[in-house]
Amino acid sequence: MTEKLPTIFLKGTAASPGIAGGRVYYLETGKFRLPQHSLGAEEVEAELAAFRRALEKTEGQLEELKERVEKKLDADQAAIFGAHQLVLSDPALVEEVEARIRRGVNGAQAIAAVVEELVEMLAQLEDEYLRERAADIQDVGNRILGNFLGVSPTSLADIGEPVILLAPDLTPSETVQLEPGRVLAFATAAGGRTSHAAIMARSLGIPAVVGLGEGAVTDLGQAQEVIVDGNGGEVILNPREKDWAQLREKEKEYRAHQHQLAFLRELPAQTPDGRRVRLLANIGSPADLGPVQRANAEGIGLFRTEFLYLDRDSAPTEEEQFEVYKEVLETMAPHPVTIRSLDIGGDKDVPYLGLPAEMNPFLGWRAIRYCLDRPEIFQSQLRAILRASAHGKAQLMLPMISNVEEVRRARALLQEVEMDLDRRNIPYDPRMEVGIMIETPGAALMADILAQEVDFFSIGTNDLIQYSLAVDRGNERVSHLFQTFHPGVLRLVQQVIAAGQAAGIKVAMCGEMAGEARAVPILLGLGLDEFSMGAGSLLTVKEIIRSLPYHKAQELASQALDLGTGDEITAFLEESIGDLELG
Ligand code: PEP
Ligand code: MG
């Protein structure tokens, strides 16, 4: 069957290393192409009947799902589908859609618009229970719309045997459902190296290519088999026998290199002339700890806690959060675990938290801004972190800081929680360090002042590049402008490291730049203390550090900073790495 389909070669952004091939699972959730026509009077009755059929079909699917989950004795999950069934008889949805169809709006547009309005309305309510229903309405709405249009709703939960996932895009809540055993690799039309799907892929060790371009969507949707090369950024749809042979060859080489790097596990991240730095890992959940331990990371430099909030219908309780933080702290002890407070908003929408649609979500109500406006949510997380701090070496990290007041307000809220724990005799680490991410240009430029307020900095280059170069990090149309080695970016990084050194505080980096082999000479040379990255990059970075004398890295950094374009700097760094004697 595969022979009949044309072989198509696509080039995208190498997002997560590794190579895999296999059967395609195409995921298209939540996005439907809506017909644009309006209805003539004679079409209304048929459209209403089609809408009712879609409701019935949805009801049947939900009943089946509920029974399937009940068999697995997962009462919570089953209850979700029960709640979804209730939505189907909600007059706010059903009657409103019918009214619009009667006014001549085609069924698909009527469903989509009513669902969107309901979701927005519910998401803004004070009442937590009602807010949580926004996610239910969205899910059920997608199902009804899929049934109405005759497009079967697909979900990552349906994946049985191992597959390669292809999709126009993956939302953060879809990404959290990825399981390495079932998804061997994935490729998407949208996204860049620092979009969250790419980041998650790296922490899970799933090979991935993103940013194949909008033009690739149709081809992705029709492919039956695929090879994804996450090292070279290549995707081959419907490969031929010789492509499979090449895949096996490349896989062998890749594994051999990984094997070679394994001896570095036990060796320190130290230059030949004695400069010692620390290499830590980024994680999104305890499930990522396996690769972290295999790479022998010296701690967690970024725990993206928002992933605990995604792919569910209500916020995690303090207790749930405490258990997760405690597990990570105990697993990593005595090494530090840097727990980042909730960084939602931007591209991470969490329907039940009441985030409204915004014109510029990356510049909007995001991260620390949201937390300071919602102290009850923020303090519940802070309490969980503090309580967990009694079980290992926790550090708190605040994201998206753009001024001193945010740091002071966050610290005041933290202090309130500490006083409350004191009163109740609940143990915590009173010396837990508090640091901030430097990911806005404003913060980078005033790092000397911010350094007086905190125990450490961690440079978040994914956002720092996005904001300083005004390039949306997830938009593949402008991904060529997202330059890690843009001279402006490097000057900001240089300034932050220098400010931290002058103030005597530790400077780390947890943006993707820290795991880039080519970035090592500059970061090492500028004096970065800690590199935190997806576990898969750790040994490669260590190998370079162990081959590059510190004084040489300082020279290279200063030469690179004298160059005028990102391309020149990139070429210069590639050459410098090429000159090293690596294994
Ligand atoms: C960053 O912005 O560099 C960062 C590490 O945070 P995130 O990628 O989660 O926004
Ligand atoms: Mg960030």
Side-chain angles (χ1 to χ4, degrees):
M1 208 160 149
T2 309
E3 272 96 41
K4 291 203 203 101
L5 294 168
T7 301
I8 298 172
F9 294 84
L10 298 171
K11 180 90 183 116
T13 305
S16 175
I19 308 163
R23 200 171 62 78
V24 168
Y25 184 91
Y26 185 70
L27 181 82
E28 187 171 31
T29 49
K31 291 194 192 75
F32 299 98
R33 223 166 265 140
L34 300 181
Q36 298 300 316
H37 66 278
S38 40
L39 302 175
E42 70 291 356
E43 293 169 302
V44 166
E45 276 314 313
E47 199 81 343
L48 284 170
F51 174 53
R52 285 182 206 122
R53 277 198 303 278
L55 288 178
E56 271 165 35
K57 194 161 176 199
T58 309
E59 168 76 36
Q61 287 167 346
L62 290 173
E63 189 56 38
E64 206 183 297
L65 273 168
K66 199 170 83 180
E67 280 168 16
R68 222 163 70 196
V69 194
E70 266 165 359
K71 274 199 199 110
K72 285 202 287 177
L73 294 176
D74 190 337
D76 283 353
Q77 283 271 352
I80 291 174
F81 295 120
H84 284 191
Q85 282 174 315
L86 288 180
V87 174
L88 291 176
S89 50
D90 189 335
L93 176 77
V94 179
E95 286 172 17
E96 185 55 32
V97 170
E98 287 179 346
R100 289 184 197 208
I101 292 177
R102 288 201 178 90
R103 291 203 297 272
V105 180
N106 78 56
Q109 284 198 337
I111 299 168
V114 172
V115 168
E116 192 182 321
E117 285 165 22
L118 278 174
V119 167
E120 245 171 54
M121 192 264 288
L122 287 171
Q124 301 200 19
L125 295 179
E126 283 296 311
D127 183 303
E128 200 178 328
Y129 170 76
L130 290 174
R131 265 205 327 263
E132 285 164 11
R133 293 204 55 220
D136 293 338
I137 304 255
Q138 183 71 67
D139 266 14
V140 179
N142 282 345
R143 235 171 230 287
I144 303 172
L145 197 50
N147 286 328
F148 184 85
L149 291 167
V151 184
S152 70
T154 47
S155 142
L156 288 179
D158 300 338
I159 296 180
E161 60 188 275
V163 290
I164 309 275
L165 184 67
L166 299 182
D169 196 6
L170 287 175
T171 64
S173 61
E174 283 159 354
T175 319
V176 291
Q177 299 177 48
L178 294 176
E179 279 179 39
R182 291 207 220 159
V183 176
L184 302 176
F186 74 79
T188 58
R193 232 190 100 74
T194 58
S195 52
H196 285 95
I199 290 170
M200 279 295 284
R202 284 194 288 279
S203 28
L204 289 168
I206 299 179
V209 174
V210 299
L212 292 167
E214 225 170 276
V217 170
T218 315
D219 291 333
L220 294 182
Q222 287 166 359
Q224 292 186 347
E225 290 186 319
V226 62
I227 291 175
V228 172
D229 177 354
N231 303 330
E234 276 155 21
V235 170
I236 310 176
L237 303 178
N238 310 312
R240 297 153 303 180
E241 194 35 57
K242 69 175 186 199
D243 301 316
W244 288 112
Q246 242 172 31
L247 164 78
R248 285 187 283 272
E249 207 43 50
K250 276 190 187 172
E251 256 180 336
K252 221 163 72 193
E253 276 170 32
Y254 180 68
R255 279 215 208 96
H257 184 63
Q258 293 301 101
H259 192 70
Q260 244 177 33
L261 288 177
F263 82 96
L264 290 164
R265 267 191 96 251
E266 309 300 332
L267 300 175
Q270 186 166 334
T271 63
D273 51 349
R275 161 95 179 144
R276 175 77 162 92
V277 291
R278 281 178 304 276
L279 302 187
L280 290 81
N282 296 348
I283 61 165
S285 81
D288 301 342
L289 287 172
V292 172
Q293 288 180 304
R294 284 197 286 282
N296 206 12
E298 295 173 89
I300 301 298
L302 167 62
F303 180 1
R304 288 185 165 92
T305 57
E306 54 280 5
F307 286 104
L308 287 173
Y309 288 69
L310 299 172
D311 188 31
R312 48 187 298 157
D313 296 322
S314 58
T317 60
E318 177 192 320
E319 204 53 34
E320 263 177 86
Q321 297 186 69
F322 164 72
E323 288 298 336
V324 171
Y325 304 150
K326 176 168 163 262
E327 180 185 347
V328 175
L329 279 158
E330 284 178 345
T331 310
M332 293 307 297
H335 295 306
V337 175
T338 315
I339 305 178
R340 177 173 74 181
S341 62
L342 187 57
D343 182 1
I344 37 129
D347 63 344
K348 283 171 279 185
D349 185 21
V350 182
Y352 60 83
L353 287 183
L355 292 155
E358 294 181 311
M359 286 286 277
N360 292 299
F362 272 120
L363 303 181
W365 203 33
R366 201 195 143 175
I368 192 71
R369 303 168 180 184
Y370 175 86
C371 285
L372 291 175
D373 288 348
R374 286 284 165 87
E376 70 291 353
I377 291 177
F378 190 34
Q379 284 188 314
S380 138
Q381 183 178 37
L382 293 179
R383 206 171 303 117
I385 295 173
L386 274 174
R387 284 174 53 205
S389 72
H391 299 268
K393 186 168 177 353
Q395 303 181 336
L396 171 68
M397 180 157 79
L398 307 169
M400 271 290 286
I401 293 294
S402 60
N403 60 48
V404 168
E405 290 84 349
E406 285 166 342
V407 183
R408 293 190 182 152
R409 285 175 59 204
R411 294 199 83 138
L413 290 170
L414 181 70
Q415 205 182 9
E416 276 179 23
V417 177
E418 286 177 345
M419 280 166 17
D420 179 49
L421 293 180
D422 285 338
R423 265 196 303 275
R424 295 193 283 145
N425 273 330
I426 297 176
Y428 65 91
D429 175 5
R431 283 181 301 278
M432 179 178 77
E433 290 191 357
V434 179
I436 56 172
M437 292 191 70
I438 302 286
E439 46 187 352
T440 63
L445 293 167
M446 59 176 290
D448 55 334
I449 298 175
L450 286 165
Q452 307 306 318
E453 307 278 331
V454 294
D455 300 313
F456 65 90
F457 286 155
S458 186
I459 307 174
T461 47
N462 309 340
D463 279 315
L464 186 60
I465 297 171
Q466 153 164 279
Y467 294 131
S468 56
L469 303 183
V471 183
D472 180 340
R473 58 194 266 190
N475 182 342
E476 71 283 0
R477 281 191 208 90
V478 289
S479 60
H480 60 289
L481 295 173
F482 190 96
Q483 284 191 328
T484 305
F485 300 112
H486 186 290
V489 171
L490 297 183
R491 279 170 171 66
L492 289 175
V493 169
Q494 177 184 38
Q495 196 166 330
V496 175
I497 297 176
Q501 282 172 339
I505 64 168
K506 175 183 82 185
V507 183
M509 177 179 285
C510 60
E512 295 307 304
M513 183 182 188
E516 271 236 18
R518 294 175 302 193
V520 173
I522 291 210
L523 300 179
L524 187 65
L526 290 177
L528 190 74
D529 300 302
E530 254 179 42
F531 298 59
S532 190
M533 64 198 82
S537 311
L538 203 139
L539 296 180
T540 307
V541 167
K542 194 191 270 188
E543 185 184 30
I544 298 172
I545 290 170
R546 292 185 55 83
S547 317
L548 182 60
Y550 183 41
H551 68 86
K552 177 80 183 151
Q554 287 176 308
E555 245 170 62
L556 292 173
S558 124
Q559 285 170 326
L561 276 154
D562 279 342
L563 298 172
T565 74
D567 286 346
E568 281 167 17
I569 298 175
T570 307
F572 173 77
L573 292 172
E574 270 167 12
E575 203 178 304
S576 317
I577 299 274
D579 290 345
L580 298 175
E581 285 189 20
L582 303 174

